[in-house]
Amino acid sequence: MINGFATISSRLSIVFAILFTIAACGGGGGSSSGGFIPDGGGSGVPVYNLEISFFDRNGNPTNSVTSASAATVEVLVTKKGSAKTPAASILVSGEATIGELSPAAGTALSNENGIARFQLATGGELGAGAFTASVAESPDTVPVTFNYQITQEGLRLGSFSGGVFLDGVIDIQPEGQLSPSGIGALTIAVADGDGNYSETEELVKITSNCLISGKASIDPLSPVPITGQSTITYTATGCEGDDVITATLSGSANSASGTVSVAPLTANAISFQSAEPELIVLKGTGGGTGRQESSNVSFVVVDTDNNPVPGISVEFALSTSIGGLSLGNTTGTSDSVGIVSTSVFSGNVATVVRVFARILGNNVSTTSDVLSVSTGLPDQNSISLSVGDGGFTVENGFSQDGVERCITVRMADKYNNLVPLGTSAVFTTEYGSIDSSCILGVSNGERARGSSSKCSSSTPPQGACEVSWITQEPRLPTIDPSSVKRIDDSDYTCSGHNGTSGPCPNDLGGPRGGRSTILVTSVGEESFVDQNGNGAFDEGEPFVNLPEAFIDHNEDGVFTPVIGPNCTNPPTSSSDCEIAGFEETFVDFNNNGVYDENNDPEFYNGTLCPPEGDGVYCDRSLISVRAQTVLTLSANPRWDILIATTSGRVSNTATEGVTYDVFVSDVYNNAPPGGSIVTFSTGGDCRLVSDSSFEVPDTVSRGAFGASLQIDGDGGNGTVTAKLDPAENGTPYSETFNCSTTAPPDPNDPNGGLTVGG
C-alpha cells in the first residue's frame, strides 16, 4: 500500500510540474520563435518570406545580364510575421532558366542580414529567363521568381543615317515644327558594339514630358520591343514647344534622345475638314447629279483650346497642276467658325491631287485627303458581271421556284478608276426574275437586301452592287416553246458522235432550252486607245463602236429579232428562225423606236470627245454600256448518259483497248452544275484503267459534259456503271453499260499467244 501511494504521489508531482511549466511559458511572454507551436504551423518547420533583387556591377538595380556585366542576385530571407526580421544561416536554392549561375550547386546560405547571394552570367545564351528562389528545408515557404533578360554586350541606342550608326540620336521626322495636333515619326535603332543592327529583340522605354503629362502619345506604347530598328508614331495632343524624347534600353543605362518641336498652342493650328465631292470629272465632261467639275475643299483653324479662330489668313497650293488643274482662290480667311475653303477645278487629264494649306505668317500647315479627277462615267471595257455562290448552272432551275443566284456588277471609267457613288445599273433577264436595278456603292437590289438573300445586305463597295436573280416562270420562249432543242428530238443531229439521241458534246443550236441571258446597262461611253496620252479622243485613234444595247437570247452577239423572209415579227412559228433571236429586245437609248447601229457615221461616243471634234469625228453624246452573262436552268431530275468512242461511234458496250467518251447532260443538252461529280465503277471481269472520278467545271459553255473511260480485264465480260452526283440538292443518276475484255497471252505458249505464219 505504501509503495502504491508513493507511486501515485510521484506521478501527481510530475503532472503538476508539467502544468507549472506550461503556465510559465505561455503566460510569461517568451520568444516568438520558441514554444511548442512552431512558426510554420502544422508542418513543424518555420516559414520565411523571400525577396529577389538583381544588381549590375555598379550596384544599380537591373533586370539585364550581359557578357560585360554579370548580375548579382540577392535573395532576402525574413521570418514570416516578424516585420521582416532577417533570417540567418538559411540554405536558399536558386535556379535560372538560362545563363550560368554560381555557386554552381545553386545554393547559398543567408548571412546575418538575411541575404543569400548568387552570380548570374550569360553562359553564351541570349533571351529572356526567370530566376526562382526557394527554401528546401521549409516546404511551406512559397518560392519567388524574378524575370530577367540576357542581351548582347555593348548594345547601343541611336539611329542610322546613310548606313552610319549615330549613337544616342533618335531620327525624328518631319523636320521642322509639328502642328499642335500633328503626327511625327520616331525612328530608333539598337546596334551592337560594331555598329550593326542588333539581332535580338530588346525592350526600349520611351519617355518625354509631354508623354508623361498626357499631352502626346506614341504607338506602340512604351516599352517598345525593337529588333534592329523600329519607327514609332508620335502624336501631339496638346503638347507645345520642344519635347525632348528619351529612349532607354531596358536593363542598362544606354539611351538616345531627340527633340520634337511642336507649334505653340498659342499659335493657330489648321487641319483638313472635307472635300465635296471627293471625285470630280474631267473638264468639259460634267453635268447632272454626281458629275461636278469642281470640289470645295475646306480646312478648320483653331486656337490653343481647339476653339475655332476667325479672321486667319491661309494660303493654298496644289500638289500638281497637270492637265490644267487649278484653284479657285490661292488665299482665304477663316470665317466665324474657323472654316476656310478653296475650290479645285479639274483639267483634262485623269489624276489625283491634294491641297496644301498653310497659315500665313508661320510654318504651321496641313494637307487635304486625296481628290480624284476622272471621267466619272463607266466605259464599255470596264463593266463586268459575275455570279455568286452556286455558279452558272442552277440545280432544279426548271422545276423549282425560288432558287437564287446573286449577280454582281462592277464598273470603272476610262482610266479604270471606280465610278462615283450613285451610278445606277439596270437589269433585265430572259428567264426567271431579277431585281430591276442597284446603285453602285450605295445600295443593292431590293430583294438582294433581304435577310434571306444570298447577297450581301450591307452597303456595297464603291464601284459595285448586287441584285438577286430567282427561278420562276418564264422558262421557255413565249412564241412556240416547242421549238426548243432537245436531245430526244426527231431531227436530232450531233456532230460529236453518230447517235440519234442523247447527250451531245456540241451545241445543238437554237432555240436552246434552259439558258437565261442576263443583261445589265448603264449610261456611259465607248472605249478608245489614247495613243498620245493627252486625255482626249483624237481623230484616227482606235475605238470600239457600239450599237444600242440588247439582250442576246441566242448568244450570237447580234440583235436578230427577225431572220429570213418566212420569219414574221413576232413569229407564228420557229420556221426560218433557227438562230432563235425572235424574242430579243433592245434598249432604245434615244427613244426613236428604232434599233440603231450607230454606224452612220461611225463616231466615238463619249465625254472625252473634244469640243472641236464634236460632230466632226466624234460625238459627246453618251451610250448604254452593257454586259451579259448566262445562267443555265438545269432540267434535273432527268439526266442522260451516253458513251461513244473517240471517233464518234455510239456504243452500249465498252471494249478493252478502246478509249471512250462518256457524255452527261439534261434533256436540253446542258451540262450538270459545276462541282457535280461523275464516277465510274465496274463489275464482273472488267477493271478501270482510266480515272474513276471527274468533277464537272462551273461554266456557261454549251453542250454535254464529257469524261474519258478505258477498261481492261482477263478475257471475261462485265459491266461499267457511270453515276452522276449533282451539286447542290440534285438527284443522283446512273446508267450501266456492258463491257468485254481480252484474255492475256498464255505464258506457256512459246509463241506468246501469236499464230506463227508458214
Side-chain angles (χ1 to χ4, degrees):
M1 297 292 294
I2 294 174
N3 291 336
F5 176 80
T7 302
I8 293 174
S9 298
S10 300
R11 292 177 179 172
L12 288 174
S13 299
I14 294 172
V15 171
F16 286 133
I18 293 173
L19 290 175
F20 179 81
T21 303
I22 293 174
C25 290
S31 172
S32 62
S33 62
F36 289 98
I37 306 299
D39 290 346
S43 68
V45 179
V47 179
Y48 304 100
N49 288 323
L50 304 178
E51 296 181 22
I52 302 175
S53 299
F54 272 43
F55 299 95
D56 62 18
R57 61 186 174 185
N58 297 317
N60 299 313
T62 185
N63 68 344
S64 181
V65 181
T66 69
S67 58
S69 179
T72 297
V73 183
E74 293 188 355
V75 180
L76 175 61
V77 186
T78 57
K79 297 178 180 179
K80 187 171 183 180
S82 60
K84 288 194 173 182
T85 301
S89 300
I90 303 301
L91 184 63
V92 177
S93 296
E95 181 180 356
T97 56
I98 66 170
E100 187 175 284
L101 190 66
S102 62
T107 57
L109 283 176
S110 61
N111 60 19
E112 66 277 6
N113 296 317
I115 295 175
R117 287 190 175 88
F118 300 85
Q119 291 291 321
L120 182 61
T122 63
E125 298 179 283
L126 296 176
F131 178 87
T132 301
S134 62
V135 178
E137 65 185 25
S138 176
D140 290 333
T141 296
V142 178
V144 292
T145 299
F146 184 89
N147 296 327
Y148 60 92
Q149 62 180 0
I150 297 179
T151 62
Q152 298 181 63
E153 179 181 358
L155 291 181
R156 296 177 291 166
L157 282 181
S159 57
F160 284 88
S161 177
V164 178
F165 181 70
L166 304 179
D167 196 358
V169 178
I170 299 175
D171 179 58
I172 297 179
Q173 296 294 332
E175 297 178 352
Q177 206 170 47
L178 197 66
S179 69
S181 59
I183 298 175
L186 315 176
T187 301
I188 302 173
V190 182
D192 59 21
D194 297 325
N196 300 316
Y197 287 112
S198 169
E199 297 180 354
T200 60
E201 181 180 279
E202 305 294 335
L203 289 177
V204 176
K205 183 179 179 181
I206 301 174
T207 61
S208 76
N209 289 334
C210 288
L211 290 173
I212 293 172
S213 64
K215 294 182 178 181
S217 63
I218 59 172
D219 183 23
L221 298 176
S222 178
V224 178
I226 297 178
T227 302
Q229 179 173 288
S230 181
T231 297
I232 297 96
T233 299
Y234 176 99
T235 303
T237 56
C239 184
E240 60 178 296
D242 290 343
D243 187 23
V244 178
I245 311 296
T246 301
T248 305
L249 188 64
S250 180
S252 77
N254 292 335
S255 64
S257 63
T259 300
V260 176
S261 180
V262 184
L265 292 177
T266 55
N268 298 317
I270 185 169
S271 60
F272 169 71
Q273 186 181 58
S274 64
E276 299 178 358
E278 295 178 349
L279 182 148
I280 56 178
V281 298
L282 298 178
K283 185 177 181 180
T285 68
T289 303
R291 296 194 52 74
Q292 300 182 41
E293 296 180 13
S294 65
S295 175
N296 187 61
V297 183
S298 300
F299 301 85
V300 60
V301 181
V302 296
D303 63 12
T304 56
D305 296 321
N306 207 36
N307 296 316
V309 181
I312 302 298
S313 296
V314 175
E315 181 181 60
F316 303 111
L318 287 174
S319 61
T320 179
S321 59
I322 186 172
L325 276 167
S326 62
L327 286 170
N329 51 289
T330 57
T331 60
T333 303
S334 59
D335 62 16
S336 60
V337 291
I339 301 298
V340 58
S341 303
T342 187
S343 295
V344 177
F345 292 93
S346 63
N348 58 14
V349 173
T351 186
V352 293
V353 63
R354 293 178 184 266
V355 178
F356 302 130
R358 183 177 68 87
I359 296 176
L360 290 173
N362 61 34
N363 291 322
V364 177
S365 61
T366 192
T367 306
S368 73
D369 286 349
V370 169
L371 182 68
S372 297
V373 183
S374 192
T375 68
L377 282 171
D379 75 328
Q380 178 55 40
N381 71 358
S382 303
I383 180 173
S384 63
L385 279 179
S386 58
V387 180
D389 291 347
F392 292 102
T393 300
V394 183
E395 187 72 46
N396 300 318
F398 239 98
S399 58
Q400 180 179 340
D401 285 351
V403 182
E404 183 187 23
R405 287 293 185 271
C406 187
I407 310 298
T408 301
V409 60
R410 293 174 174 84
M411 299 186 201
D413 65 13
K414 161 66 180 173
Y415 302 97
N416 293 327
N417 302 132
L418 298 180
V419 296
L421 299 176
T423 301
S424 295
V426 179
F427 290 82
T428 186
T429 182
E430 181 179 2
Y431 301 137
S433 65
I434 197 167
D435 289 336
S436 60
S437 64
C438 62
I439 303 176
L440 277 70
V442 176
S443 64
N444 293 326
E446 183 175 353
R447 293 188 304 188
R449 296 194 297 270
S451 59
S452 61
S453 172
K454 291 184 177 181
C455 302
S456 169
S457 59
S458 59
T459 301
Q462 186 175 350
C465 60
E466 299 173 334
V467 294
S468 178
W469 178 94
I470 296 178
T471 55
Q472 67 172 70
E473 296 297 342
R475 292 180 171 93
L476 289 168
T478 303
I479 307 300
D480 196 7
S482 63
S483 64
V484 172
K485 298 294 185 181
R486 296 167 56 100
I487 62 174
D488 54 3
D489 284 338
S490 58
D491 58 349
Y492 172 91
T493 301
C494 175
S495 60
H497 57 69
N498 67 348
T500 58
S501 65
C504 178
N506 312 103
D507 182 15
L508 296 181
R512 302 176 185 89
R515 292 180 65 85
S516 176
T517 300
I518 295 174
L519 169 70
V520 61
T521 61
S522 185
V523 177
E525 53 193 4
E526 293 174 335
S527 300
F528 74 96
V529 180
D530 188 9
Q531 292 180 318
N532 59 9
N534 67 350
F537 177 80
D538 298 305
E539 187 172 10
E541 287 185 321
F543 72 99
V544 178
N545 188 61
L546 293 174
E548 288 187 308
F550 66 97
I551 184 166
D552 192 10
H553 288 193
N554 62 0
E555 306 169 45
D556 66 348
V558 182
F559 181 58
T560 48
V562 178
I563 298 299
N566 298 322
C567 188
T568 60
N569 188 15
T572 56
S573 72
S574 61
S575 175
D576 207 24
C577 299
E578 287 81 6
I579 69 168
F582 49 80
E583 291 186 17
E584 291 178 350
T585 58
F586 69 97
V587 179
D588 191 7
F589 191 79
N590 58 8
N591 292 315
N592 66 351
V594 177
Y595 180 75
D596 294 307
E597 296 282 351
N598 294 331
N599 57 3
D600 188 21
E602 190 172 282
F603 278 173
Y604 162 77
N605 288 87
T607 57
L608 295 177
C609 170
E612 63 271 18
D614 189 16
V616 180
Y617 56 83
C618 56
D619 193 327
R620 292 174 67 85
S621 61
L622 303 178
I623 50 92
S624 289
V625 294
R626 75 295 304 259
Q628 302 195 44
T629 192
V630 175
L631 295 180
T632 301
L633 284 67
S634 171
N636 184 46
R638 177 174 175 183
W639 297 101
D640 281 276
I641 298 176
L642 175 146
I643 65 172
T645 63
T646 53
S647 61
R649 297 184 61 82
V650 173
S651 175
N652 288 322
T653 300
T655 303
E656 181 178 355
V658 180
T659 300
Y660 296 88
D661 290 319
V662 178
F663 301 116
V664 185
S665 78
D666 66 8
V667 70
Y668 297 111
N669 204 43
N670 295 314
S676 299
I677 303 297
V678 175
T679 56
F680 298 139
S681 59
T682 58
D685 197 35
C686 297
R687 294 188 300 266
L688 279 176
V689 175
S690 57
D691 290 340
S692 62
S693 177
F694 297 85
E695 181 174 341
V696 180
D698 184 25
T699 177
V700 295
S701 299
R702 299 187 286 267
F705 169 74
S708 179
L709 172 67
Q710 286 181 294
I711 59 99
D712 69 4
D714 297 320
N717 298 323
T719 58
V720 177
T721 299
K723 181 184 178 184
L724 168 68
D725 287 302
E728 296 188 276
N729 298 314
T731 302
Y733 177 80
S734 64
E735 288 191 27
T736 299
F737 305 89
N738 294 325
C739 62
S740 62
T741 65
T742 304
D746 185 351
N748 297 317
D749 186 345
N751 296 318
L754 298 176
T755 301
V756 180

